[in-house]
Amino acid sequence: MAAASPKPVEVCVKAATGAPDTVGDCPFCQRVLLTLEEKKVPYELKLINLDNKPDWFLAISPEGKVPVFKSNDDKWVPDSDVITQIIEEKYPNPSLVTPPEYSSLGSKIFSSFVKFLKSKDPNDGSEHALLDELRALDEHLKAHGPYVNGEKISAVDLNLAPKLFHLEIALDHFKGWKIPEDLTYLHAYMKLLFNRESFVKTKPAKEHVIAGWAPKVNA
């Protein structure tokens, strides 16, 4: 008799603002979905309207944060760092483990992007700080690419991909700013990531990314 197929894991993610049936623009949620897609783990998506959080969701995530994840042990777990680690342990094939020396590569890009995006002062150094981070990633990819750990995609790429997607869309829309063309390895890397089947399947719509950042930019 064939073994019963495993029960899909469950994951709560942000629904798009104004489109409750569509995956929203949370890069931490997409990171979890990318990990499940790359490992071909069946999952059930629960879309959460963060402007009107349902009671059942607040019962499992008292702080009201997404993503939260439940595998077969009926325990809901928050935090994309923790969730992706659990997925790696439970579903080791294919391995997405990034070697420790590369695992924090690009880790300051997202905070540098947010600072520059919100900046009202062109002389505050925020653009320069972001460029330094992007240039460092480009240099690494030049030496070790096409992915952070060479030929094979790994966890660090799945963490960076949604953040770079947000960065590209939001900075272009709100500041008319684009990643310099001379960062050719970074551009090739982003193209590679954004064209992966897992990314195409889980990415938010451009307009939802813009709508998500608008209140933070205009604050």
Side-chain angles (χ1 to χ4, degrees), residues 13-211:
V13 303
K14 178 183 178 182
T17 306
D21 299 329
T22 308
V23 169
D25 57 303
C26 165
F28 306 98
C29 294
Q30 192 189 2
R31 175 191 181 188
V32 171
L33 299 182
L34 285 169
T35 306
L36 292 167
E37 287 285 347
E38 288 288 342
K39 287 183 174 288
K40 305 272 187 277
V41 177
Y43 61 92
E44 187 185 317
L45 209 50
K46 294 183 184 297
L47 297 168
I48 307 300
N49 176 352
L50 294 182
D51 298 320
N52 183 15
K53 297 165 186 161
D55 291 341
W56 67 263
F57 171 66
L58 290 169
I60 60 169
S61 179
E63 290 182 15
K65 287 184 177 170
V66 288
V68 281
F69 170 85
K70 183 171 83 167
S71 63
N72 317 42
D73 55 8
D74 281 352
K75 204 171 101 199
W76 286 97
V77 180
D79 190 321
S80 63
D81 283 337
V82 178
I83 294 168
T84 49
Q85 189 61 46
I86 289 172
I87 296 169
E88 186 60 52
E89 285 164 10
K90 276 187 176 263
Y91 307 96
N93 294 319
S95 170
L96 291 173
V97 175
T98 304
E101 64 270 26
Y102 297 159
S103 59
S104 62
L105 206 89
S107 60
K108 292 185 184 148
I109 287 175
F110 194 65
S111 56
S112 304
F113 145 61
V114 175
K115 195 170 178 186
F116 176 45
L117 180 65
K118 291 176 165 182
S119 166
K120 308 271 193 282
D121 174 5
N123 301 312
D124 65 1
S126 60
E127 179 181 7
H128 188 73
L130 175 61
L131 277 171
D132 282 349
E133 293 298 329
L134 294 173
R135 214 169 283 286
L137 178 55
D138 185 76
E139 287 290 325
H140 175 90
L141 293 166
K142 181 180 180 178
H144 302 282
Y147 294 107
V148 167
N149 189 35
E151 293 298 323
K152 274 181 65 188
I153 198 161
S154 71
V156 67
D157 303 302
L158 303 184
N159 187 5
L160 284 170
K163 295 170 178 176
L164 290 167
F165 188 68
H166 277 244
L167 179 156
E168 183 176 63
I169 291 171
L171 289 176
D172 184 26
H173 179 82
F174 293 106
K175 285 189 181 281
W177 190 94
K178 289 179 166 59
I179 294 173
E181 279 180 21
D182 66 337
L183 299 183
T184 50
Y185 295 91
L186 177 57
H187 279 285
Y189 175 64
M190 288 166 68
K191 194 173 174 184
L192 204 56
L193 291 172
F194 300 166
N195 285 324
R196 278 186 87 87
E197 187 189 352
S198 61
F199 197 93
V200 173
K201 229 174 133 175
T202 58
K203 71 177 180 180
K206 188 174 170 180
E207 63 269 24
H208 293 141
V209 173
I210 291 165

